[in-house]
């Protein structure tokens, strides 16, 4: 199921990859923590234990992408970090557009977690003439009317969509026309876009559910 | 590993539960989608396929919490939905405090996804006298100085922490004193809090990595 057919780095089944890639993100964060702590090697067992996965799960996830680890040594943290970054495409810098500079948009412009992982917000777009032409958190705000030009100039492929739900579909279509190929969608609607455009929806309630579960399971 | 010892509903190992609970959230969303589409039953195979997990994974996750499903029928969607909600503690309403009414805080006050899952933001807290005493998105903003009183009055146990990273630790300690037992932490710092307090950190870059992976694996 979770295997790509003949392409070591990818799979065309997005639903399969989503679970695996989520775990890769978690492995990456644990490995980075280990590396910062000066620990040079780890194993599928240790990595799994830190995250609540079996060692078999860790090995199976990584086996989708090649052969890693050394007998008697395990994984070299720094090597596995750069391999995972390569697999996930975060070994390169991604210029990103933020679209919709409302409260959420402003908050996301100030969010540092993105740039740490190679996602550089290089342009913001809105329709409000009061903010078009200004800079917010050092990022220039452009009119959505100029999106074609700016997206091309700055070679932007990814957009963070933070517009109201009612506007999301229309704005997303406009962005696809301008050349955007992938969306992180914060609007609470399912976008209908061409098949070759990737949309990742953000559902913050999932995180809240982690919290209520932990609270519930603590109450005797 | 992912089993609790003698408590059907919970586990004391937060790291083990996190992966399982994330999947429960995803099962819940797929089941709700099926139910809305008028589909009454499903199976571990179908549920797994929709999400890219094996049927064994689905059965194993659910087996942590009891015995579900019927031979020759599979799972009844509505029944499994209410069971999962029970397991996750979202069969009840959780009054929630939002702390830090900056851009992110305001955006979160307007976020509808929380209340859909039973998380009701009933109070916001800030220090800015310009907004204390006002209502934002229908939610009253209180001074952080009154947190003890309000948290008790409204029986709040959960807080969404949206304060600047530099203030997060101090504010979180203050909230724990007031009676908060669980945090959804948007501040980019690791909070050091008593062991019986649950903290879930939100890392939006993980979602961006899904996007870059999908984009990378599409490029031949």
């Amino acid at each position: 199921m979770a295997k790509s057919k003949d392409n070591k780095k990818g799979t065309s089944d997005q639903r399969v990859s989503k679970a695996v890639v989520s775990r890769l993100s978690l492995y990456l964060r644990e490995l980075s923590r280990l590396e910062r702590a000066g620990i040079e090697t780890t194993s599928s067992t240790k990595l799994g234990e830190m995250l609540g996965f079996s060692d078999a799960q860790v090995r199976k996830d990584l086996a989708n992408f090649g052969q890693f680890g050394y007998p008697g040594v395990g994984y070299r943290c720094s090597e596995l970090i750069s391999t995972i970054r390569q697999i996930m495409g975060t070994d390169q810098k991604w210029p990103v557009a933020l679209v919709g500079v409302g409260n959420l948009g402003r908050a996301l412009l100030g969010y540092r977690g993105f740039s740490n992982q190679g996602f550089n917000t290089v342009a913001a777009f809105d329709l409000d003439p009061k903010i078009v032409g200004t800079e917010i958190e050092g990022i220039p705000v452009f009119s959505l009317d100029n999106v074609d030009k700016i997206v091309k100039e700055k070679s932007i492929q990814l957009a963070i969509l933070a517009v109201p739900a009612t506007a999301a579909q229309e704005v997303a279509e406009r962005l696809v026309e301008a050349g955007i190929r992938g969306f992180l969608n914060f609007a609470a609607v399912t976008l209908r876009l061409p098949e070759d455009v990737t949309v990742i929806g953000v559902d913050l309630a999932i995180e809240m559910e982690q919290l209520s579960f932990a609270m519930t399971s603590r109450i005797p």
Side-chain angles (χ1 to χ4, degrees), chain A residues 57-116:
Chain A
Q57 179 77 74
V58 175
R59 285 196 302 273
K60 195 181 153 204
D61 286 340
L62 293 174
N64 285 306
F65 306 99
Q67 186 61 48
F68 311 105
Y70 301 91
V73 176
Y75 303 119
R76 297 210 166 95
C77 295
S78 65
E79 198 179 291
L80 195 50
I81 287 171
S82 48
T83 305
I84 295 180
R85 281 191 189 278
Q86 227 178 342
I87 291 167
M88 299 209 298
T90 53
D91 56 336
Q92 59 173 111
K93 296 277 176 203
W94 289 92
V96 174
L98 181 123
V99 184
V101 189
N103 290 319
L104 179 61
R106 278 169 196 267
L108 292 171
L109 287 174
Y111 185 71
R112 282 181 219 153
F114 290 140
S115 56
N116 292 343

Side-chain angles (χ1 to χ4, degrees), chain A residues 10-29:
Chain A
T11 154
S12 60
D13 187 337
Q14 293 309 317
R15 288 184 302 198
V16 169
S17 65
K18 183 154 191 180
V20 178
V21 181
S22 286
R23 287 194 295 272
L24 289 184
S25 288
L26 298 175
Y27 301 152
L28 184 60
R29 275 154 187 72

Side-chain angles (χ1 to χ4, degrees), chain A residues 13-211:
Chain A
D13 187 337
Q14 293 309 317
R15 288 184 302 198
V16 169
S17 65
K18 183 154 191 180
V20 178
V21 181
S22 286
R23 287 194 295 272
L24 289 184
S25 288
L26 298 175
Y27 301 152
L28 184 60
R29 275 154 187 72
E30 291 302 328
L31 288 163
S32 302
R33 239 168 257 157
L34 291 175
E35 201 187 34
R36 280 197 302 273
I39 294 161
E40 287 177 10
T41 61
T42 188
S43 66
S44 55
T45 311
K46 281 184 212 151
L47 208 49
E49 260 173 21
M50 290 188 280
L51 290 158
F53 304 128
S54 68
D55 54 336
Q57 179 77 74
V58 175
R59 285 196 302 273
K60 195 181 153 204
D61 286 340
L62 293 174
N64 285 306
F65 306 99
Q67 186 61 48
F68 311 105
Y70 301 91
V73 176
Y75 303 119
R76 297 210 166 95
C77 295
S78 65
E79 198 179 291
L80 195 50
I81 287 171
S82 48
T83 305
I84 295 180
R85 281 191 189 278
Q86 227 178 342
I87 291 167
M88 299 209 298
T90 53
D91 56 336
Q92 59 173 111
K93 296 277 176 203
W94 289 92
V96 174
L98 181 123
V99 184
V101 189
N103 290 319
L104 179 61
R106 278 169 196 267
L108 292 171
L109 287 174
Y111 185 71
R112 282 181 219 153
F114 290 140
S115 56
N116 292 343
Q117 303 298 331
F119 302 103
N120 293 339
T121 310
V122 295
F125 292 94
D126 205 284
L127 285 172
D128 184 350
K130 283 200 288 295
I131 56 168
V132 168
T134 67
E135 282 199 358
I136 294 174
E137 304 278 344
I139 295 152
V141 183
F142 299 99
S143 165
L144 202 53
D145 296 332
N146 296 328
V147 68
D148 298 278
K149 183 170 159 278
I150 307 294
V151 161
K152 262 181 207 80
E153 263 178 32
K154 299 188 182 267
S155 310
I156 303 172
Q157 291 185 290
L158 304 185
I160 300 172
L161 198 61
V163 299
T166 47
Q169 178 64 33
E170 196 188 329
V171 172
E173 286 172 14
R174 185 76 196 75
L175 291 164
V176 170
E177 271 171 42
I180 297 297
R181 312 317 293 159
F183 289 89
L184 189 63
N185 178 28
F186 282 88
V189 286
T190 305
L191 300 174
R192 311 257 157 227
L193 295 173
E195 281 235 331
D196 60 337
V197 174
T198 307
V199 180
I200 304 289
V202 176
D203 185 347
L204 294 171
I206 286 186
E207 316 278 351
M208 282 303 273
E209 287 170 7
Q210 292 278 351
L211 195 50

